[in-house]
Amino acid sequence: MSSNTAIKKAAIEPVSSAFDLLCDDIAADKSISHRCAMFSLLSDKPSTIHNFLEGEDTLNSLKIAEQLGAVVSKEGNTFRIAPPALLSEAEDVLDCGNAGTGMRLYCGLLSGVEGLFVLTGDRYLRHRPMNRVVKPLRSIGAKIDGREEGNLAPLCIRGGKLQAFRYESPIDSAQVKSALILAALRADGTSYYRESLLSRDHTERMLRGMGATVKTIEEQGSENQGWIAIEPLKAPLQPLELTVPADPSSAFFFAVAAAIVPESRVVIKSVTLNPTRIEAYKILERMGAAIDYMEKENIYEPIGDITIAYSGRLKPVVVEENIAWLIDELPALSIAMAVAEGKSTVRNAKELRVKESDRIATVVKGLEACGIVTDEFEDGYHVTGGVIHQATIDSHGDHRIAMSFAVAGLLSGMEIEDTACIDTSFPNFFEILSQMTGVSI
Ligand code: S3P
């Protein structure tokens, strides 16, 4: 096995034997870490965050918090984020790097703050659609401009007064929902937001925990639907105090590894068991993997351990519902589909086309390179399970594509090009993968 992190390529060799691994160092949750950096600005007291994800994306959100006036200090694995008395203009542009979450949530948060803010990102983020937040924010009075009439970053925000709103989102997106909730906290009355399937709800849970009034109005007969009512802030919120759990989306690469390498098992420690985040594990279970969940505590959300064990060749599956709950795991899930006994289908997943890469195209192209038969359509793909062959995979700068095909390499060996992107969310990914193969990558 060889790797050269300087040129950011990795060569994965196949595992020589089964593994039984306890993973207590999976990267901390990216969504929650972003929110810790941002929401600490809504308090007047310092927040204390243990196990904040030190990946590029979330460190960029933290740096932006500093540019907006927060004082950040670190002791061991604990960050203390002391907010400024008043949020004010930053002297320089605010660089979100590769993070759509960073850009879209800051867009909502800053729209209601007096001052001029310029949000930018790397060459991938500067080509991802921002209209999904810019349009609804403009409709409540936000002054935002950017390339393509505000659809592409850099985005220039002239923060000011916002009107209360009633908005029914055409997409189930936690980023859009969170941006609008953050704007609603500074609007001139109670705002209402609705999506057709509840997307990940860390924003609602954390803001409620900090004392904000963010209420879900349950609709009869539909557990995961309803309007969210958001009251504007009358006073600063309570600070955050939490240990960020492990990220189930990052852990899922190793869940797939255990499900496809005969006689293997992994135990993922202290991961969020939030129902909007573990749907991919349910699908892997439907495919035949043996999965066990053990809830241990509840800090803003349920947290516990997940055990995943190989249980014979996987069965094919159709994935066409609850897509928002497994959108980030679909690339890794596709590797499981590629070795299943028959044809699997992904549908209603057009959102994949606007992630860090066009993930329908990059998954299909990568699988084809590995000798797997696929069929691409606008909102998904078919994967006919077979034998994965060694190939050279271009990640297209997308961390989840790089990590998914690295896991496929456990069966066949794999060359992955452009692995630098893995640092955005999971800096120690290869260390854990090396424990499975027994050779350092
Ligand atoms: C995220 C929401 C999801 C997800 C992204 C993180 C968040 O995006 O894909 O990785 O932290 O809110 P959408 O909600 O836009 O689908």
Side-chain angles (χ1 to χ4, degrees):
M1 179 169 309
S2 74
S3 95
N4 184 336
T5 45
I7 57 167
K8 307 293 182 195
K9 278 184 179 190
I12 319 295
E13 284 194 5
V15 283
S16 48
S17 56
F19 52 82
D20 189 356
L21 209 67
L22 188 136
C23 293
D24 58 3
D25 54 354
I26 296 287
D29 193 79
K30 185 151 78 82
S31 292
I32 296 177
S33 296
H34 273 301
R35 287 159 173 79
C36 285
M38 297 173 190
F39 298 178
S40 57
L41 298 171
L42 304 174
S43 180
D44 57 352
K45 300 184 192 71
S47 287
T48 310
I49 317 295
H50 311 284
N51 199 35
F52 181 86
L53 171 62
E54 293 186 63
E56 285 171 2
D57 278 7
T58 45
L59 287 174
N60 278 325
S61 279
L62 200 55
K63 181 165 175 238
I64 293 175
E66 275 183 303
Q67 287 178 275
L68 295 169
V71 176
V72 178
S73 54
K74 188 186 168 199
E75 216 181 305
N77 159 20
T78 300
F79 280 88
R80 186 175 178 275
I81 310 171
L86 204 66
L87 281 179
S88 54
E89 277 184 356
E91 277 182 10
D92 206 345
V93 297
L94 309 171
D95 189 352
C96 302
N98 189 247
T101 306
M103 182 165 288
R104 295 190 178 117
L105 269 62
Y106 267 123
C107 213
L109 192 150
L110 295 172
S111 284
V113 177
E114 293 284 336
L116 182 82
F117 307 94
V118 180
L119 289 168
T120 191
D122 69 10
R123 66 196 166 104
Y124 300 104
L125 185 57
R126 291 197 307 269
H127 286 91
R128 292 179 64 192
M130 294 298 142
N131 258 343
R132 53 185 55 204
V133 292
V134 169
K135 280 193 170 167
L137 287 170
R138 275 180 179 160
S139 76
I140 61 168
K143 295 189 185 65
I144 308 176
D145 209 348
R147 292 182 302 129
E148 269 190 15
E149 296 180 8
N151 187 35
L152 298 182
L155 297 179
C156 184
I157 304 171
R158 168 67 67 187
K161 295 209 177 343
L162 300 177
Q163 297 125 32
F165 59 85
R166 192 174 181 89
Y167 184 67
E168 197 156 0
S169 178
I171 42 174
D172 304 324
S173 159
Q175 295 180 355
V176 175
K177 173 175 63 178
S178 303
L180 271 288
I181 291 177
L182 289 167
L185 295 178
R186 294 179 196 273
D188 61 2
T190 309
S191 297
Y192 297 87
Y193 183 92
R194 188 181 190 281
E195 55 193 344
S196 51
L197 170 75
L198 174 76
S199 62
R200 65 186 69 185
D201 58 354
H202 308 297
T203 295
E204 299 93 300
R205 288 172 185 260
M206 290 170 72
L207 289 177
R208 259 181 228 131
M210 294 173 79
T213 307
V214 179
K215 282 192 193 136
T216 303
I217 308 164
E218 297 279 340
E219 277 172 22
Q220 259 197 346
S222 52
E223 208 184 315
N224 294 308
Q225 276 178 317
W227 286 92
I228 302 170
I230 312 114
E231 299 287 345
L233 293 185
K234 292 192 186 76
L237 295 175
Q238 292 307 309
L240 286 162
E241 158 90 59
L242 79 152
T243 300
V244 181
D247 192 317
S249 310
S250 297
F252 194 68
F253 298 107
F254 300 114
V256 169
I260 64 174
V261 175
E263 311 317 325
S264 293
R265 187 176 83 129
V266 289
V267 181
I268 312 288
K269 300 292 284 181
S270 300
V271 63
T272 171
L273 300 177
N274 181 324
T276 63
R277 296 294 303 279
I278 57 169
E279 183 74 358
Y281 293 82
K282 308 275 172 186
I283 302 287
L284 203 54
E285 219 175 333
R286 249 166 61 199
M287 295 176 81
I291 305 196
D292 181 62
Y293 310 83
M294 195 196 284
E295 186 174 330
K296 290 195 164 157
E297 54 186 335
N298 200 307
I299 309 169
Y300 300 99
E301 31 196 286
I303 296 168
D305 301 343
I306 308 182
T307 302
I308 304 97
Y310 179 85
S311 184
R313 189 162 179 201
L314 295 172
K315 297 190 283 285
V317 72
V318 175
V319 179
E320 56 186 2
E321 284 171 359
N322 300 339
I323 296 297
W325 294 357
L326 45 64
I327 193 80
D328 288 346
E329 292 78 18
L330 278 169
L333 200 55
S334 305
I335 302 300
M337 293 173 179
V339 296
E341 211 168 359
K343 195 189 219 178
S344 294
T345 305
V346 176
R347 284 260 184 219
N348 302 324
K350 209 169 158 195
E351 272 297 297
L352 284 176
R353 296 218 179 260
V354 291
K355 291 295 174 188
E356 285 83 329
S357 67
D358 172 346
R359 285 187 181 154
I360 293 185
T362 44
V363 163
V364 163
K365 204 166 148 218
L367 289 179
E368 290 276 338
C370 297
I372 299 296
V373 176
T374 62
D375 232 330
E376 176 176 348
F377 17 91
E378 194 42 35
D379 67 344
Y381 43 90
H382 287 310
V383 179
T384 304
V387 176
I388 291 181
H389 293 285
Q390 177 163 18
T392 300
I393 303 293
D394 179 357
S395 74
H396 293 268
D398 185 336
H399 56 140
R400 298 203 198 277
I401 297 298
M403 291 187 274
S404 297
F405 283 93
V407 165
L410 293 176
L411 296 179
S412 57
M414 202 68 71
E415 298 264 339
I416 316 284
E417 287 186 337
D418 192 355
T419 51
C421 50
I422 292 174
D423 285 344
T424 59
S425 66
F426 202 163
N428 62 332
F429 171 77
F430 282 127
E431 280 164 38
I432 301 178
L433 199 71
S434 297
Q435 291 169 31
M436 294 180 167
T437 58
V439 193
S440 69
I441 300 171

